[in-house]
Each structure stands twice: as C-alpha cells, then as structure tokens.
Amino acid sequence: MSESSSNSDTGASWIDWFCSIEGHEIFCAIDRSYIEDIFNLYGLKTYVPNMNECLDIIQDRVHDETDEELLNECYLLYGLIHARYIITGNGLEVMHRKFQSGDFGKCPRMYCKGCAVIPLGLKDEPNVEEVKLFCPSCEEVYNYQRSCAGRHGSSIRIDGAYFGSTFAPLFCMSFEEVTKKSKPNEAYVPRIFGFRIHRKEGRDIRKGDKNARNNSSRRTISNSRGNFNVNPADLMEGVESIGGSVGRDSEVSHLRVKRQFPNDDEGTDAKRAETVSSLN
C-alpha cells in the first residue's frame, strides 16, 4: 500500500493528509470551493499535464493512487494552487493563524528573540528555488531546514513556487501590527580590547595598490575621549619603539649626516656641523 493511499484508511481527506506530512506544517488546507472554481486553476495545466487526474485525487474522487509520477504531479498541482490561495483574503487569515501559532518556525538570529518567520518563495516558477523563510523582525531570508519524508523514506524538497514571491510582502502589509511589533534594537558590535572597530571604505586591496592597502587597513578607535584614526601596523611599530625612543635624537641626526656625506673624505667638519644644526 502506498503512503498516499493510507489517508483513505484513516478517513482523512487527501488535503488533510498532505498537510499532516512531516515538514508540511508550513502548508495550509485549501478550501475545497476554491479548488472547484476552474477560474482559480487557469494556466496550471502548463506545469501539470495530468491536471484532471490530479484534481480527482486531491478532491477525493479517486482513492487508489499507485502511480508515483502521478502522485508527484498532485504535489505540484496542490502547491501551485496553494500559492494562489494564500494571497486571497481567506488564505491570508488561515496563514495568519499559523503564523501566530509558530507553525512556520522562528528566526535563528539571536537578537530577534524567537520572532516567528514567514514562508517565502524567491521565484514564482516551479523547480527553480526551494522555499525560504523571511523574518519580519530583522528582514533577512533563511533556508528552510526541515526535510520532508516522502515515499520509501526519500526526501522531498518544498518548492518556493508553492508560496510565491508575493505572499510574504503581502502578509507583512496586511498584518503590520503583528510582524513589526518587535523590531530588534540590538546588534553585534566587534571590539578589540574593548574598543569599537569601524571599517572605512577604500579601494580593493586585491589590486595590489600600496595606497589602497594602507587606506583599507586604517581603523578608527573610539573611546570616551574621542575618535582616533590609526593604522594598526603603525600602532604596533610605535609600541615597539617606545622603549628605545629616549636619547635617539642624536642618532637620527647622525644618520641624516651619513646619508648626505657617505664618505669621510666628502665635506668638512664645518659643513657637517652646519648640516646638523640645520636638521635640528
């Protein structure tokens, strides 16, 4: 006996059985009157060649489904009808109740504090992208992690077209008081030794430009006294030279003289003294 035919043994409808499959909690039960209206099915035969046979199965007019290929078409047809139904008034209300019950899951972001998410399809065409989850709090999109058990223990992917790209934005507009009541007011701030780090925009350092590397490596360190724009390399060089900086002014002057008079025979003592005094 196939998995899909087990619904006839329990007395449940095909729609109720489909929505009860593990991982299908994000689906809602489509009103039968919506499916019976042929106007709502316009254009779906392009994706489901055996649409009439699938409708007989979905509407419980046929209970013996042994063709796995036909069963997969039933999944596809129900999903495409589902994407149209959930943007109607009745469909939005049903999905709203599931949202409040947390049937869609929660946002994995820590600062959203368990905000309920909404199913989202990035594409309206089937077999392009799997369903995603949209968080109305942080407004980020996440992968749907749950796997659906198919026949013989196989895994069934949930197509994003079963929800479409319109549903999530329309849902947020229709129930704004619910979806935007807890906007996150916290965010992670990277710190080094307690100091906040602010990156500055610069050219791509991968191009090998020396100035770009210097600019991109500069950081602004903030503390209670103000902001300081520094280069980490210069900072470390300055720390290393603090211990030996005292009493080196004469050495620096000597090096400058040596650069100007590399040989002892060049120049006189007077010229050297004059140069040293001018450098100082």
Coordinates of all heavy atoms in Angstrom, one line a residue, residues 82-84 86-88 91-92 95-96 99 104 116-124 131-137 139-142 160-176 178-180:
H82 N -1.9 26.3 -4.0 CA -1.7 26.9 -2.6 C -1.1 28.3 -2.7 O -1.4 29.2 -1.9 CB -0.7 25.9 -1.9 CG -0.4 26.3 -0.5 ND1 0.7 27.1 -0.1 CD2 -1.0 26.0 0.7 CE1 0.7 27.3 1.2 NE2 -0.3 26.7 1.7
A83 N -0.1 28.5 -3.6 CA 0.5 29.8 -3.8 C -0.6 30.9 -4.2 O -0.4 32.0 -3.8 CB 1.6 29.7 -4.8
R84 N -1.6 30.5 -4.9 CA -2.6 31.4 -5.3 C -3.6 31.6 -4.1 O -4.1 32.7 -3.9 CB -3.4 30.9 -6.5 CG -2.5 30.8 -7.8 CD -3.3 30.4 -9.0 NE -2.4 30.3 -10.2 CZ -2.9 30.1 -11.4 NH1 -4.2 29.9 -11.6 NH2 -2.0 30.1 -12.4
I86 N -3.2 31.4 -0.8 CA -2.7 32.1 0.4 C -2.6 33.6 0.2 O -2.4 34.3 1.2 CB -1.4 31.6 0.9 CG1 -0.3 31.7 -0.2 CG2 -1.5 30.1 1.3 CD1 1.1 31.2 0.2
I87 N -2.8 34.1 -1.0 CA -2.8 35.6 -1.2 C -4.3 36.1 -1.3 O -4.5 37.3 -1.6 CB -2.0 36.0 -2.4 CG1 -2.5 35.4 -3.7 CG2 -0.5 35.7 -2.2 CD1 -1.8 35.9 -4.9
T88 N -5.3 35.2 -1.1 CA -6.7 35.7 -1.0 C -6.9 36.1 0.4 O -6.2 35.8 1.4 CB -7.6 34.6 -1.5 OG1 -7.5 33.5 -0.5 CG2 -7.3 34.1 -2.9
G91 N -7.2 33.0 2.6 CA -5.9 32.3 2.7 C -5.0 33.1 3.7 O -4.2 32.5 4.5
L92 N -5.0 34.4 3.6 CA -4.2 35.2 4.5 C -4.6 35.0 5.9 O -3.7 35.0 6.8 CB -4.3 36.7 4.1 CG -3.5 37.1 2.9 CD1 -3.9 38.6 2.5 CD2 -2.0 37.1 3.1
M95 N -3.2 31.6 7.1 CA -1.8 31.7 7.3 C -1.4 32.6 8.5 O -0.4 32.3 9.2 CB -1.1 32.2 6.1 CG -1.3 31.3 4.9 SD -0.5 29.7 5.1 CE 1.2 30.1 4.7
H96 N -2.3 33.5 8.8 CA -2.0 34.4 10.0 C -2.2 33.6 11.2 O -1.4 33.8 12.2 CB -3.0 35.6 9.9 CG -2.8 36.5 11.1 ND1 -3.9 37.1 11.8 CD2 -1.7 37.0 11.7 CE1 -3.4 37.9 12.7 NE2 -2.1 37.8 12.7
F99 N 0.9 31.5 11.6 CA 2.0 32.4 12.0 C 2.0 32.6 13.5 O 3.0 32.5 14.2 CB 1.9 33.7 11.2 CG 2.9 34.8 11.7 CD1 4.2 34.7 11.2 CD2 2.5 35.8 12.6 CE1 5.1 35.7 11.7 CE2 3.4 36.7 13.0 CZ 4.7 36.7 12.5
F104 N 5.4 28.1 11.4 CA 6.4 28.3 10.3 C 7.8 28.3 10.9 O 8.8 28.3 10.1 CB 6.2 29.7 9.6 CG 4.8 29.8 9.0 CD1 4.2 31.0 9.1 CD2 4.2 28.8 8.4 CE1 2.9 31.2 8.5 CE2 2.9 28.9 7.9 CZ 2.3 30.1 7.9
A116 N 8.6 34.9 15.0 CA 8.1 33.9 14.0 C 8.5 34.4 12.6 O 8.5 35.6 12.3 CB 6.6 33.8 14.2
V117 N 8.7 33.4 11.8 CA 9.1 33.7 10.4 C 7.9 33.4 9.4 O 6.9 32.8 9.8 CB 10.4 32.9 10.0 CG1 11.6 33.3 10.7 CG2 10.1 31.4 10.2
I118 N 8.1 33.7 8.2 CA 7.1 33.6 7.1 C 7.7 32.9 5.9 O 8.8 33.2 5.5 CB 6.5 35.0 6.7 CG1 6.1 35.8 7.9 CG2 5.4 34.8 5.7 CD1 5.8 37.2 7.6
P119 N 7.0 31.9 5.4 CA 7.5 31.2 4.2 C 7.6 32.2 3.0 O 6.7 33.0 2.8 CB 6.4 30.1 3.9 CG 5.7 29.9 5.2 CD 5.7 31.3 5.9
L120 N 8.6 32.0 2.2 CA 8.9 32.9 1.1 C 9.4 32.1 -0.1 O 10.2 31.3 0.0 CB 9.9 34.0 1.5 CG 10.5 34.8 0.4 CD1 9.4 35.8 -0.2 CD2 11.7 35.6 0.9
G121 N 8.8 32.5 -1.2 CA 9.3 31.9 -2.5 C 10.1 33.0 -3.2 O 9.5 34.1 -3.5
L122 N 11.3 32.8 -3.6 CA 12.1 33.8 -4.3 C 11.7 33.8 -5.8 O 11.9 34.8 -6.4 CB 13.6 33.5 -4.2 CG 14.2 33.5 -2.8 CD1 15.7 33.1 -2.8 CD2 13.9 34.8 -2.1
K123 N 11.1 32.7 -6.3 CA 10.7 32.7 -7.7 C 9.3 32.1 -7.7 O 8.8 31.4 -6.9 CB 11.6 31.7 -8.5 CG 13.1 32.2 -8.5 CD 13.2 33.5 -9.3 CE 14.7 33.8 -9.4 NZ 14.9 35.1 -10.1
D124 N 8.5 32.6 -8.7 CA 7.1 32.1 -8.9 C 7.1 30.9 -9.8 O 6.0 30.2 -9.9 CB 6.3 33.2 -9.5 CG 6.1 34.4 -8.5 OD1 6.0 34.1 -7.3 OD2 6.2 35.5 -9.0
V131 N 11.8 26.7 -1.0 CA 11.2 27.7 -0.2 C 12.2 28.2 0.9 O 13.1 27.5 1.3 CB 10.0 27.0 0.6 CG1 10.4 26.0 1.5 CG2 9.2 28.1 1.3
K132 N 12.1 29.5 1.2 CA 12.9 30.2 2.2 C 12.0 30.7 3.3 O 10.8 30.6 3.3 CB 13.7 31.3 1.6 CG 14.5 31.0 0.3 CD 15.6 30.0 0.6 CE 16.4 29.7 -0.6 NZ 17.4 28.6 -0.4
L133 N 12.6 31.2 4.4 CA 11.9 31.8 5.5 C 12.3 33.2 5.7 O 13.5 33.5 5.7 CB 12.2 31.0 6.8 CG 11.7 29.5 6.8 CD1 12.2 28.8 8.1 CD2 10.2 29.4 6.6
F134 N 11.3 34.1 5.8 CA 11.6 35.5 5.9 C 11.2 36.0 7.3 O 10.1 35.6 7.8 CB 10.7 36.3 4.9 CG 10.8 37.8 5.1 CD1 11.9 38.5 4.7 CD2 9.7 38.5 5.7 CE1 12.0 39.9 4.9 CE2 9.8 39.8 5.9 CZ 10.9 40.6 5.5
C135 N 12.2 36.6 8.0 CA 11.9 37.2 9.3 C 11.5 38.6 9.2 O 12.2 39.5 8.7 CB 13.2 37.1 10.1 SG 13.0 37.8 11.8
P136 N 10.3 38.9 9.7 CA 9.8 40.3 9.6 C 10.5 41.2 10.6 O 10.3 42.5 10.5 CB 8.3 40.2 9.9 CG 8.2 39.0 10.7 CD 9.3 38.0 10.2
S137 N 11.3 40.7 11.5 CA 12.0 41.5 12.5 C 13.3 42.0 12.0 O 13.5 43.2 11.9 CB 12.2 40.7 13.8 OG 12.9 41.5 14.8
E139 N 14.3 41.3 8.9 CA 14.1 41.4 7.4 C 15.2 40.6 6.6 O 15.6 41.1 5.6 CB 14.0 42.8 7.0 CG 12.8 43.6 7.6 CD 12.7 45.0 7.1 OE1 13.7 45.5 6.5 OE2 11.7 45.6 7.4
E140 N 15.6 39.5 7.2 CA 16.6 38.6 6.5 C 15.9 37.4 6.0 O 14.8 37.0 6.5 CB 17.7 38.3 7.4 CG 18.6 39.5 7.8 CD 19.4 40.0 6.6 OE1 19.6 39.3 5.6 OE2 19.9 41.1 6.7
V141 N 16.5 36.7 5.0 CA 15.9 35.4 4.5 C 16.8 34.3 4.9 O 18.1 34.4 4.8 CB 15.9 35.6 2.9 CG1 15.3 34.3 2.3 CG2 14.9 36.7 2.5
Y142 N 16.2 33.2 5.3 CA 16.9 32.0 5.8 C 16.4 30.8 5.0 O 15.3 30.7 4.5 CB 16.7 31.8 7.3 CG 17.2 33.0 8.1 CD1 16.3 34.0 8.4 CD2 18.5 33.1 8.5 CE1 16.7 35.1 9.2 CE2 18.9 34.2 9.3 CZ 18.0 35.2 9.6 OH 18.4 36.3 10.3
G160 N 9.8 26.7 -3.7 CA 9.4 28.0 -3.4 C 8.2 28.6 -4.1 O 7.5 29.5 -3.6
A161 N 7.9 28.0 -5.3 CA 6.8 28.4 -6.1 C 5.5 28.0 -5.3 O 4.4 28.5 -5.7 CB 6.8 27.7 -7.4
Y162 N 5.5 27.1 -4.3 CA 4.3 26.8 -3.6 C 3.8 27.9 -2.7 O 2.7 27.8 -2.1 CB 4.5 25.5 -2.8 CG 4.9 24.3 -3.6 CD1 5.3 23.1 -3.0 CD2 4.7 24.3 -5.0 CE1 5.7 22.0 -3.7 CE2 5.0 23.1 -5.7 CZ 5.5 22.0 -5.1 OH 5.8 20.9 -5.9
F163 N 4.7 28.9 -2.5 CA 4.3 30.1 -1.7 C 4.4 31.4 -2.5 O 3.7 32.3 -2.2 CB 5.2 30.1 -0.5 CG 5.0 29.0 0.4 CD1 5.7 27.8 0.3 CD2 4.1 29.0 1.5 CE1 5.5 26.7 1.1 CE2 3.9 27.9 2.3 CZ 4.6 26.8 2.1
G164 N 5.3 31.4 -3.5 CA 5.4 32.6 -4.4 C 6.1 33.7 -3.7 O 6.3 33.8 -2.5
S165 N 6.5 34.7 -4.6 CA 7.2 35.9 -4.1 C 6.3 37.0 -3.6 O 6.8 37.9 -3.0 CB 8.0 36.4 -5.3 OG 7.2 36.8 -6.4
T166 N 5.0 36.8 -3.7 CA 4.0 37.9 -3.3 C 3.6 37.7 -1.9 O 3.3 38.7 -1.2 CB 2.8 37.9 -4.3 OG1 3.3 38.2 -5.6 CG2 1.8 39.0 -3.9
F167 N 3.5 36.4 -1.5 CA 2.8 36.2 -0.2 C 3.5 36.9 1.0 O 2.8 37.6 1.8 CB 2.8 34.7 0.1 CG 2.4 34.3 1.5 CD1 1.1 34.6 2.0 CD2 3.3 33.8 2.4 CE1 0.7 34.3 3.3 CE2 3.0 33.5 3.7 CZ 1.7 33.7 4.1
A168 N 4.8 36.7 1.2 CA 5.4 37.3 2.4 C 5.3 38.8 2.5 O 4.9 39.3 3.5 CB 6.9 36.9 2.4
P169 N 5.6 39.6 1.4 CA 5.4 41.0 1.5 C 3.9 41.4 1.7 O 3.6 42.3 2.5 CB 5.9 41.5 0.1 CG 6.8 40.5 -0.4 CD 6.2 39.2 0.1
L170 N 3.0 40.7 1.1 CA 1.6 41.0 1.2 C 1.1 40.7 2.7 O 0.3 41.4 3.3 CB 0.7 40.2 0.2 CG -0.8 40.4 0.3 CD1 -1.1 41.9 0.0 CD2 -1.5 39.5 -0.7
F171 N 1.7 39.6 3.2 CA 1.3 39.3 4.6 C 1.8 40.3 5.6 O 1.1 40.7 6.5 CB 2.0 37.9 4.9 CG 1.6 37.4 6.3 CD1 0.5 36.6 6.5 CD2 2.4 37.7 7.4 CE1 0.2 36.1 7.7 CE2 2.1 37.2 8.7 CZ 1.0 36.4 8.8
C172 N 3.0 40.8 5.3 CA 3.6 41.9 6.2 C 2.8 43.2 6.1 O 2.6 43.9 7.1 CB 5.0 42.2 5.9 SG 6.1 40.8 6.3
M173 N 2.3 43.5 4.9 CA 1.4 44.7 4.8 C 0.1 44.5 5.4 O -0.5 45.5 5.9 CB 1.3 45.0 3.3 CG 2.6 45.5 2.6 SD 2.3 45.8 0.8 CE 1.1 47.0 0.9
S174 N -0.5 43.3 5.3 CA -1.8 43.0 5.8 C -1.8 43.0 7.4 O -2.8 43.3 8.0 CB -2.4 41.7 5.3 OG -2.4 41.8 3.8
F175 N -0.7 42.5 8.0 CA -0.7 42.3 9.4 C 0.5 43.0 10.0 O 1.3 42.4 10.7 CB -0.7 40.8 9.8 CG -1.8 40.1 9.2 CD1 -1.6 39.3 8.1 CD2 -3.1 40.1 9.7 CE1 -2.6 38.5 7.5 CE2 -4.1 39.4 9.1 CZ -3.9 38.6 8.0
E176 N 0.6 44.3 9.7 CA 1.8 45.1 10.1 C 1.9 45.2 11.6 O 3.0 45.2 12.1 CB 1.8 46.4 9.5 CG 3.0 47.3 9.7 CD 3.0 48.6 8.9 OE1 2.0 48.8 8.2 OE2 3.9 49.4 9.1
V178 N 1.4 43.0 13.8 CA 1.9 41.8 14.3 C 3.4 41.6 13.9 O 4.2 41.3 14.7 CB 1.1 40.6 13.9 CG1 1.7 39.3 14.4 CG2 -0.3 40.7 14.4
T179 N 3.7 41.8 12.7 CA 5.0 41.5 12.1 C 6.1 42.5 12.5 O 7.3 42.2 12.5 CB 5.0 41.3 10.6 OG1 4.5 42.6 10.1 CG2 4.0 40.2 10.2
K180 N 5.7 43.7 12.9 CA 6.7 44.7 13.1 C 6.6 45.2 14.6 O 7.0 46.3 14.9 CB 6.5 45.9 12.2 CG 6.9 45.5 10.7 CD 7.0 46.8 9.9 CE 7.5 46.4 8.5 NZ 7.6 47.6 7.6

